[in-house]
Amino acid sequence: MATTPTPQAPASRLKGSRGLWHSRGRTGSLLACILLLLLNCIFTPNFLRFQTLGINLQQMSSTTIVAIGMTLVIATGGIDLSVGSVMAIAGVLAPLLFLHIANPVLGLALALFLPLLAGAACGLFNGWLVARIQLQPIIATLILFTAGRGIAQVLTNGAGQPFTNAGFSWLGKGSLLGLPVQAYLMALLLVVFSLFMRGTRFGRSIQAIGGNAEAARLAGVPVARTRIAVYVITGVLAALGGLIVVSLNSNSDPSTVGLNVELNAIAAVAIGGTSLLGGEARVFGTFLGALITQLIYTFLVGNNVPQATALVVNALIILVAVYLQIRPQS
């Protein structure tokens, strides 16, 4: 008796093809990093100075921290366009809280903690819209993308707020062994979330939802709660990124803090090899993507190429990265 071919066979071949492709992609990211390092060493003035290393780490740390959260969201098959606005909200809350509390120790503690709580609340709102109201993630997060920066501007009447508290400034300007504090924080989060995604049931559930949400639900994964939790984590990481930027600049400007960070974070995820279709999370690959972007920017700007041109080059790299992800499936 003839049997009907099962649909799993072509799917498994496609999965194997994608696995091989992404394995090559990881190798390509590493080779790209090595090539860019060599180009910078040869052509970029002062690139080999230890101080230059610190500057590059400062410039990429906050974006990488935000991109870690973006990696988790994209792994579920979603997207978060609101991270830059969440950074702006957290950034303006810190000086507002500190300046309106008489006790400086309590003020500093609240200036560090409550913005993170606000980021969690923003993530909860996004997750509720996606998981419970079932809005498309790009639409759900577009709401806070638009309203969030407006909220930040209303809180400050659109004006920047100088914030030079020594304890708070240490987050952005402090150093250990000559390297910026936020670089150590970035490294810690990279290790934690890499292990988290590989070694915990929750991490595997995130990727299962992105692969096939209905199959994950039938397997007992709490899909809605997991999605909400992922957006909450992303909101907290975005708020942390906002605190770092404000600390580094000693100023909280609601119109500039976090501006275009969502695009840089998505670029880091795409260049790092995480599929924008969901189902996988390559946290270390996201770091490589952020590093590649930073090295390109350093090379172009260090060799007197206009910053606008550097942005165009980054856009082309994103286009190539997305094309290479989609191509094996055609």
Side-chain angles (χ1 to χ4, degrees):
M1 181 177 178
T3 59
T4 303
T6 62
Q8 282 78 14
S12 63
R13 285 197 297 270
L14 176 59
K15 183 176 179 181
S17 174
R18 289 180 63 183
L20 177 60
W21 180 262
H22 287 300
S23 176
R24 292 173 179 173
R26 289 196 298 272
T27 303
S29 296
L30 286 171
L31 290 175
C33 282
I34 294 171
L35 176 61
L36 287 166
L37 283 169
L38 289 174
L39 288 173
N40 275 289
C41 287
I42 296 170
F43 296 107
T44 303
N46 302 317
F47 181 77
L48 292 176
R49 294 177 59 185
F50 193 74
Q51 183 181 8
T52 304
L53 172 62
I55 292 172
N56 280 309
L57 288 173
Q58 273 188 341
Q59 291 177 343
M60 67 176 288
S61 291
S62 59
T63 300
T64 304
I65 289 171
V66 175
I68 292 172
M70 188 69 74
T71 304
L72 271 60
V73 170
I74 288 176
T76 67
I79 199 77
D80 191 346
L81 300 180
S82 71
V83 288
S85 296
V86 173
M87 290 177 68
I89 292 173
V92 302
L93 280 177
L96 281 175
L97 290 166
F98 181 81
L99 295 174
H100 287 81
I101 296 176
N103 187 313
V105 176
L106 177 61
L108 178 60
L110 292 178
L112 291 170
F113 174 71
L114 290 184
L116 298 180
L117 189 61
C122 291
L124 182 63
F125 175 73
N126 286 333
W128 176 74
L129 291 177
V130 171
R132 299 300 185 188
I133 306 301
Q134 296 187 347
L135 288 181
Q136 289 291 330
I138 194 170
I139 301 300
T141 59
L142 186 62
I143 296 171
L144 196 54
F145 168 83
T146 304
R149 195 167 295 278
I151 292 171
Q153 291 175 337
V154 168
L155 289 172
T156 62
N157 294 319
Q161 303 174 96
F163 190 31
T164 56
N165 175 265
F168 186 83
S169 295
W170 187 79
L171 180 63
K173 297 181 179 179
S175 63
L176 293 172
L177 302 177
L179 295 178
V181 169
Q182 66 263 41
Y184 291 99
L185 183 57
M186 174 187 70
L188 175 62
L189 290 171
L190 284 168
V191 171
V192 168
F193 278 97
S194 292
L195 296 176
F196 171 78
M197 293 304 297
R198 293 174 178 269
T200 68
R201 180 178 179 180
F202 184 70
R204 292 189 292 271
S205 296
I206 290 172
Q207 298 176 86
I209 291 170
N212 189 321
E214 181 60 20
R217 185 186 66 79
L218 294 174
V221 175
V223 174
R225 291 202 303 270
T226 301
R227 278 179 169 156
I228 290 173
V230 165
Y231 279 97
V232 169
I233 292 170
T234 303
V236 172
L237 292 177
L240 177 58
L243 293 179
I244 291 173
V245 170
V246 171
S247 174
L248 180 61
N249 295 334
S250 299
N251 186 280
S252 176
D253 187 342
S255 63
T256 59
V257 172
L259 187 64
N260 295 328
V261 166
E262 59 279 346
L263 303 180
N264 295 332
I266 294 170
V269 175
I271 295 170
T274 293
S275 173
L276 297 181
L277 301 176
E280 59 183 350
R282 304 188 183 280
V283 176
F284 185 71
T286 295
F287 166 72
L288 289 179
L291 180 59
I292 288 171
T293 302
Q294 180 63 33
L295 289 173
I296 292 171
Y297 178 83
T298 300
F299 176 77
L300 294 175
V301 174
N303 288 278
N304 299 318
V305 176
Q307 185 174 358
T309 303
L311 294 175
V312 172
V313 172
N314 279 339
L316 291 175
I317 291 171
I318 298 170
L319 178 63
V320 172
V322 173
Y323 170 73
L324 293 179
Q325 285 191 15
I326 296 174
R327 183 169 175 259
Q329 302 174 57
S330 58

